[in-house]
């Protein structure tokens, strides 16, 4: 068995991914912040789904994240926002369950409600 060192085979221009927060990270953060502001009387939880290719063993190609408002005190849960994106993440489409009006958003764009 050889003890030779294996060289680094990765490209020299390989750089870390951008530090922009993903849509799911933004939704989770907002759900947590809501809980902090309301003493957890109302908080947000995110449910994520992916759409897999019809072929076996294919990775997801599109993603959907739904932000739910939850109040454990009264047993209440309601979806308020859904975000769809593909592998490129941005632009992402945000749909409000209140208006059912989709908006196409780019990274860190201001969301008007």
């Amino acid at each position: 068995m050889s003890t030779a060192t294996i060289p680094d085979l990765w490209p020299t221009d390989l750089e870390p991914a951008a530090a922009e927060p993903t849509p799911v990270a933004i939704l989770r953060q907002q759900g947590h912040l809501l809980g902090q502001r309301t003493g957890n009387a109302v908080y947000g939880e995110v449910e994520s789904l992916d759409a897999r290719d019809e072929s076996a063993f294919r990775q997801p190609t599109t993603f959907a994240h739904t932000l739910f408002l939850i109040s454990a005190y009264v047993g209440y849960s309601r979806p308020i926002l859904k975000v769809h994106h593909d592998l490129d993440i941005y632009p992402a489409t945000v749909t409000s369950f209140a208006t059912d009006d989709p908006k196409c958003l780019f990274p860190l764009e201001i969301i008007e409600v």
Side-chain angles (χ1 to χ4, degrees):
M1 176 177 227
S2 174
T3 59
T5 303
I6 299 172
D8 182 351
L9 301 174
W10 296 105
T12 57
D13 62 347
L14 186 64
E15 296 179 15
E20 294 173 333
T22 63
V24 69
I26 293 168
L27 292 177
R28 286 181 180 147
Q29 179 188 38
Q30 293 305 305
H32 176 75
L33 292 171
L34 178 62
Q36 285 182 330
R37 293 185 74 176
T38 65
N40 285 326
V42 178
Y43 59 94
E45 276 190 6
V46 179
E47 179 181 288
S48 297
L49 300 171
D50 59 53
R52 295 187 183 273
D53 190 301
E54 296 294 324
S55 306
F57 307 113
R58 293 286 182 151
Q59 292 297 313
T61 55
T62 60
F63 303 86
H65 311 287
T66 304
L67 176 62
F68 288 84
L69 287 184
I70 297 173
S71 176
Y73 297 135
V74 294
Y76 182 80
S77 174
R78 179 177 177 94
I80 60 167
L81 290 175
K82 181 174 275 192
V83 179
H84 290 134
H85 63 85
D86 60 15
L87 290 175
D88 292 330
I89 301 177
Y90 291 106
T93 301
V94 179
T95 304
S96 166
F97 281 88
T99 63
D100 213 23
D101 179 26
K103 295 182 186 283
C104 191
L105 299 178
F106 289 88
L108 307 177
E109 182 176 329
I110 297 173
I111 301 172
E112 296 180 22
V113 179

